[in-house]
Amino acid sequence: MTFENFMNSIGVADPHGRGWLSVVLTFMFAWIVTYLFIPKVRTFALKVGWADEPNARRLHQEPRPNAGGLAIYTGVMAAIILAGCLAPIVLAKVQVSVLAILLGGSVLVLVGFIDDQFGGLPALFRLLVQVLTALLLVVCGIQIHLVYFGAPIDGIISVAFTVLWIVGITNAVNLMDGIDGLAGGVSFITAMSLLAASAQFEARAAATLICAGAGGAALGFLRHNYHPSRIFMGDAGAYFLGYVLAATSILGNVKMTTLTSLLGTIVFFIVPVVDTSQVIVKRLLSGTNPMSTPGKDHLHHRLLAQGFSQRHSAVILWGVTLAGGMIAMRMQGIRQTAIVVTAIGIALLLVMTVWLRLRAIVDAPDKPISNPDE
């Protein structure tokens, strides 16, 4: 099989064009920038006290820097800027969509960072900001268009469904960030699955570029976050990744015409959706507020209770996420070759990242966190 035939078989319509190369370079640049920036962020965070303190709900036993989201955000922004320099014509076609997603994501990074470091932001205020950032997408034409038997459903209902989707996934990713490597790994797998699906359609060029940046940044972060983690992404990183992935999943004028097409998008986010849904249902049945009542009732807590380690729990949920992504791609009509290549590529990158992290632990164990200057 020639290079051109292989590229066509995985959905690349123009193997000799600059579009696919820009996507690859965007992913790699976000990966490298995030990976290299995190040690600097970690050192500074320890000096100024940007850290999560141990408590009854958290698994770490000493203060842990929680500003990793800043590095993730920087990696994505740097990669998108690079994409604009490499292929300005391609980016110009989707500039409004890209800028809308990055603007909304920037607002959530700020809100998440303030809450991470200073606390005290009311849940209602954070929810209001999330709703406003979701409406920003709607104003810029990024929304789910619901139809019933070929006829569009009332626009207000479609807008409400879009806001529910964006806000729901944003919070689901944040709530899932409970053990080392889980949110970063799930975000990476989801981003790469969405990238592979969106790359099949020219109308989803914005989604493809942003997923490349988000996937690269998540992988660069995971290199430092796999157990035992050196840094957390915090609400800033979780909000940003959740919002970006939720937005890109509905780019390209997606029309949820049938139950299958609706499920096809939801299955990409199978772990955060199931995790948050079962937590909400359980807490409602027990008569507690699902949003303000913390507890150890998430999927990763259940796995830990069954005797799995943090590493094994994360890998199990990675596997479920990967399976969900491949099923979702199939439900959207993506060719089998593209699905297999995507799965193998994701698995290899995860294995390489875990191996490098474990080797680094053996070769140079992390110094005590209380001595950041040593």
Side-chain angles (χ1 to χ4, degrees):
M1 178 182 291
T2 65
F3 172 76
E4 183 172 355
N5 289 337
F6 172 74
M7 296 296 282
N8 286 330
S9 70
I10 61 174
V12 179
D14 184 11
H16 302 293
R18 290 194 299 173
W20 71 270
L21 184 59
S22 296
V23 171
V24 172
L25 292 177
T26 297
F27 169 80
M28 294 184 65
F29 195 63
W31 182 7
I32 293 171
V33 169
T34 305
Y35 168 70
L36 294 178
F37 192 42
I38 282 181
K40 307 298 182 183
V41 172
R42 179 178 184 272
T43 299
F44 183 78
L46 289 172
K47 288 182 178 180
V48 299
W50 292 348
D52 281 346
E53 298 292 334
N55 60 34
R57 290 184 61 248
R58 291 170 178 159
L59 299 175
H60 57 282
Q61 303 301 315
E62 55 185 4
R64 189 78 66 193
N66 61 1
L70 298 182
I72 292 173
Y73 175 75
T74 301
V76 174
M77 293 296 290
I80 296 301
I81 292 172
L82 175 67
C85 296
L86 292 175
I89 296 178
V90 174
L91 190 59
K93 297 178 181 178
V94 295
Q95 194 169 38
V96 173
S97 297
V98 171
L99 291 178
I101 294 174
L102 294 181
L103 176 59
S106 299
V107 172
L108 291 180
V109 167
L110 177 60
V111 171
F113 178 76
I114 292 174
D115 197 54
D116 282 333
Q117 311 313 331
F118 307 105
L121 286 180
L124 185 60
F125 173 79
R126 283 177 280 149
L127 179 61
L128 176 61
V129 174
Q130 292 167 7
V131 170
L132 290 175
T133 56
L135 289 174
L136 170 66
L137 299 179
V138 174
V139 170
C140 294
I142 303 173
Q143 76 174 85
I144 298 169
H145 296 274
L146 297 171
V147 299
Y148 185 71
F149 288 109
I153 294 178
D154 188 352
I156 295 179
I157 298 178
S158 293
V159 169
F161 194 88
T162 301
V163 171
L164 178 63
W165 174 255
I166 299 295
V167 173
I169 294 299
T170 299
N171 284 287
V173 172
N174 185 46
L175 292 173
M176 184 184 62
D177 186 22
I179 59 174
D180 295 344
L182 180 55
V186 168
S187 295
F188 164 69
I189 296 168
T190 303
M192 300 309 292
S193 300
L194 288 170
L195 185 156
S198 62
Q200 313 294 316
F201 307 96
E202 186 177 354
R204 302 184 191 177
T208 304
L209 280 175
I210 295 177
C211 283
L219 190 64
F221 169 77
L222 186 61
R223 172 64 176 77
H224 297 276
N225 182 246
Y226 188 70
H227 187 74
S229 68
R230 307 183 74 242
I231 190 170
F232 298 151
M233 67 170 66
D235 287 356
Y239 282 165
F240 179 70
L241 287 175
Y243 177 83
V244 165
L245 294 176
T248 53
S249 70
I250 60 174
L251 268 174
N253 198 31
V254 178
K255 295 187 178 181
M256 305 279 188
T257 57
T258 65
L259 179 60
T260 301
S261 59
L262 173 60
L263 289 175
T265 301
I266 293 176
V267 173
F268 277 113
F269 299 89
I270 186 66
V271 169
V273 167
V274 170
D275 180 50
T276 302
S277 298
Q278 62 93 24
V279 166
I280 291 175
V281 170
K282 182 178 180 180
R283 293 180 184 178
L284 286 176
L285 291 176
S286 64
T288 58
N289 187 330
M291 301 306 296
S292 61
T293 307
K296 293 188 175 182
D297 48 5
H298 289 275
L299 294 178
H300 54 271
H301 290 132
R302 296 175 184 275
L303 289 173
L304 292 172
Q306 292 179 17
F308 292 99
S309 66
Q310 285 199 55
R311 290 177 180 173
H312 291 158
S313 298
V315 171
I316 289 171
L317 294 175
W318 290 356
V320 175
T321 304
L322 181 58
M326 300 307 102
I327 294 172
M329 289 177 66
R330 188 63 178 171
M331 294 173 69
Q332 294 196 358
I334 307 302
R335 64 190 72 183
Q336 186 173 352
T337 303
I339 295 175
V340 172
V341 170
T342 300
I344 293 174
I346 290 173
L348 288 177
L349 287 171
L350 285 173
V351 169
M352 181 190 70
T353 299
V354 169
W355 178 75
L356 289 173
R357 174 63 181 141
L358 295 179
R359 192 182 71 170
I361 293 171
V362 173
D363 293 345
D366 290 338
K367 298 175 182 176
I369 202 165
S370 57
N371 299 308
D373 295 323
E374 292 183 4

